[in-house]
Amino acid sequence: MLDSNYFHYSGSTLSCDEVRLDELATRFGTPLFVTSSKSLTDSYHAFEEAFAALPHFTCYSVKANYNLSVIRSFAALGCGCDVNSGGELYRSLQAGVDPQKIIFAGVGKKPEEIAYALRSGVLMLKAESISELRAINRIAGELQKTASIALRINPNVTAETHPYITTGDSKEKFGIDEAELPEVFALLGQLPNLRLIALDMHIGSQIFDPEYFVAATTKLLDIFNATKSLGFPIEFLDIGGGFPVTYDPLKPATPITHFAEKLIPMLQPAGVKVIFEPGRYLVANASVLLTRVLYKKSNHTGKEFFVVDAGMTELIRPALYHSHHEILAVTSHEKTIVADVVGPVCESSDFFARHRVLDAVEEGELFAVMSAGAYGAVMSSNYNGRLRPAEVMVTGSEVKLIRQRETYEQLVVNELL
Ligand SMILES: *Cc1c(COP(=O)(O)O)cnc(C)c1O
């Protein structure tokens, strides 16, 4: 069982730090995301320690969990942000992040998003195509600014992960193809409002094998050498995110130190600052999704179901990526049962677990869906007229509400009759 330092049984009750999860459910209702602030801090420190020997700058990829309090927790530690849209930029600025620590990414930025990023004074914008370089140049000219640019390279490395989260393959939409680079470098000479300061890649997510990073970094370094001989003043090499976490104790993630051992000696000789963009690594195991069992039912084949009050609207990962999440009873039981854990949404893909050995809890009791901190709350939706859940953050014995549960009024606030 995934019994971490942050979510552990105290007696027979699952707790976060010094706070019992059953008490949080009573106080704030369910479904409820519970985040351990100590876990966020410790993950960041573990990452920083692993790469300490390398001059670098870590930018939290806010799309993994963009709650203002989560962004602010990292910003307070000195971390920057990698944002993917105007909305994520807005959130990061609202959380108090210094714009000079923000990188603006995204394969399809709208002109108004580019203008917003330039006006905000972000550290750099990533460009993912020739057309986008022209657009950024034009908008920067209109604003009488010089845009600092990173080129996102598609290194054509197919990382072995779920097909929906591999991004560094030529089949995918991301980045500029290597074959186009001579044209890009020639063009940059004719775009006076751009200043190329970084080369960037991001090959995917939940990548267990460091060799994929090694292969892609080798390509990035080759390109870096080419840009140097062309006279571009490259200050940063950005090798993206994708560092893995453990969801299933039977499939433990490669420790971050293994990535550091391979990457530090490769990147050190380049003599520039390295940027990392971890998302999942920093937040996945910091949160659980608390949900209450509404009904138990079984059918004539002997199949057992727990129908719970959270579903794919709060955590879509099992439906979208077939991902595994551990499920722990908040009050542990001796007896176990093999059952499916399913949500209330009208879709057959609305499940958290199939045919899983679980503590034999009763109706009205609670489950914690573990490792729900990354790509959980941020992918929540109002499908089926569901209200986005509340979120709390725990620090020691202290509990802070960091997002209120939505109300019915908020569901229709933007609609006009
Ligand atoms: C999603 C994303 C990340 C973060 O990926 P993780 O797997 O969560 O670490 C980093 N950089 C870019 C450009 C991304 O799109």
Side-chain angles (χ1 to χ4, degrees):
M1 281 292 180
L2 198 74
D3 188 2
S4 69
N5 292 327
Y6 311 104
F7 296 94
H8 56 90
Y9 283 99
S10 142
S12 59
T13 308
L14 194 62
S15 303
C16 176
D17 283 358
E18 293 154 42
V19 179
R20 293 168 56 127
L21 295 186
D22 54 351
E23 287 177 359
L24 290 178
T26 305
R27 184 167 156 204
F28 297 100
T30 51
L32 179 72
F33 281 99
V34 181
T35 297
S36 157
S37 121
K38 191 165 184 304
S39 171
L40 299 177
T41 310
D42 287 358
S43 303
Y44 177 72
H45 285 143
F47 191 90
E48 290 304 283
E49 206 170 294
F51 288 102
L54 193 65
H56 73 278
F57 172 44
T58 301
C59 288
Y60 167 54
S61 183
V62 309
K63 78 173 188 284
N65 184 337
Y66 57 40
N67 183 288
L68 294 181
S69 298
V70 173
I71 297 176
R72 180 167 286 183
S73 301
F74 291 121
L77 299 170
C79 190
C81 281
D82 166 59
V83 304
N84 258 295
S85 66
E88 287 187 355
L89 174 57
Y90 179 78
R91 283 182 169 276
S92 301
L93 294 172
Q94 288 292 306
V97 181
D98 175 357
Q100 273 298 298
K101 288 187 168 183
I102 298 177
I103 299 176
F104 195 94
V107 70
K109 303 176 199 72
K110 295 173 83 165
E112 49 270 41
E113 289 179 299
I114 293 170
Y116 179 31
L118 289 172
R119 278 198 311 268
S120 304
V122 299
L123 176 62
M124 65 179 95
L125 288 92
K126 290 184 194 172
E128 299 213 18
S129 66
I130 286 178
S131 299
E132 191 188 9
L133 282 168
R134 291 186 195 280
I136 299 172
N137 181 66
R138 176 177 53 77
I139 295 162
E142 286 163 11
L143 297 173
Q144 296 180 315
K145 287 185 185 293
T146 302
S148 294
I149 293 292
L151 287 183
R152 177 164 175 180
I153 314 286
N154 185 323
N156 195 18
V157 168
T158 310
E160 203 171 292
T161 181
H162 190 278
Y164 289 1
I165 52 177
T166 181
T167 57
D169 184 308
S170 294
K171 290 199 301 289
E172 308 301 337
K173 67 185 174 184
F174 299 99
I176 295 175
D177 195 88
E178 251 181 293
E180 270 191 326
L181 287 175
E183 192 185 336
V184 169
F185 295 141
L187 179 68
L188 281 169
Q190 300 154 29
L191 301 177
N193 308 316
L194 302 187
R195 195 164 61 98
L196 178 63
I197 62 163
L199 299 173
D200 164 89
M201 66 179 198
H202 170 68
I203 54 175
S205 197
Q206 190 63 346
I207 296 166
F208 273 51
D209 187 347
E211 290 308 321
Y212 293 114
F213 278 95
V214 170
T217 301
T218 304
K219 290 218 173 156
L220 201 69
L221 286 167
D222 285 347
I223 297 164
F224 172 61
N225 289 327
T227 54
K228 262 205 314 203
S229 59
L230 290 168
F232 290 105
I234 302 292
E235 295 169 43
F236 302 98
L237 288 178
D238 182 343
I239 71 156
F243 303 98
V245 302
T246 301
Y247 285 101
D248 182 346
L250 299 175
K251 295 180 190 151
T254 320
I256 195 68
T257 47
H258 292 207
F259 293 86
E261 279 159 22
K262 297 271 183 181
L263 290 172
I264 291 172
M266 290 183 79
L267 288 161
Q268 222 155 20
V272 293
K273 216 171 204 186
V274 173
I275 294 176
F276 296 105
E277 301 169 349
R280 188 190 307 274
Y281 178 85
L282 296 178
V283 293
N285 279 311
S287 311
V288 304
L289 175 59
L290 272 188
T291 183
R292 204 174 281 285
V293 176
L294 297 172
Y295 306 108
K296 275 167 68 177
K297 63 189 238 180
S298 51
N299 69 19
H300 72 279
T301 66
K303 210 169 158 48
E304 307 275 354
F305 296 92
F306 287 109
V307 182
V308 298
D309 67 357
M312 64 192 291
T313 40
E314 289 72 46
L315 183 65
I316 202 175
R317 297 189 69 258
L320 189 57
Y321 309 119
H322 292 278
S323 31
H324 175 96
H325 286 265
E326 289 287 284
I327 298 178
L328 301 185
V330 170
T331 305
S332 65
H333 289 246
E334 297 272 310
K335 229 178 103 212
T336 60
I337 183 174
V338 175
D340 287 13
V341 180
V342 301
V345 176
C346 303
E347 297 286 338
S348 301
S349 56
D350 182 34
F351 61 86
F352 290 126
R354 289 232 151 111
H355 206 71
R356 185 78 66 85
V357 180
L358 298 156
D359 282 19
V361 304
E362 298 298 331
E363 291 179 356
E365 288 193 70
L366 298 158
F367 279 127
V369 183
M370 307 302 287
S371 314
Y375 308 106
V378 291
M379 286 194 183
S380 64
S381 79
N382 293 124
Y383 182 50
N384 270 215
R386 307 251 314 151
L387 306 174
R388 284 198 182 76
E391 300 174 34
V392 297
M393 194 179 287
V394 174
T395 313
S397 59
E398 221 177 277
V399 180
K400 207 175 112 206
L401 182 64
I402 60 170
R403 182 182 169 114
Q404 289 181 313
R405 189 176 305 284
E406 272 179 348
T407 62
Y408 287 145
E409 291 74 20
Q410 288 171 331
L411 281 185
V412 296
V413 74
N414 286 330
E415 287 168 49
L416 309 169
L417 273 178

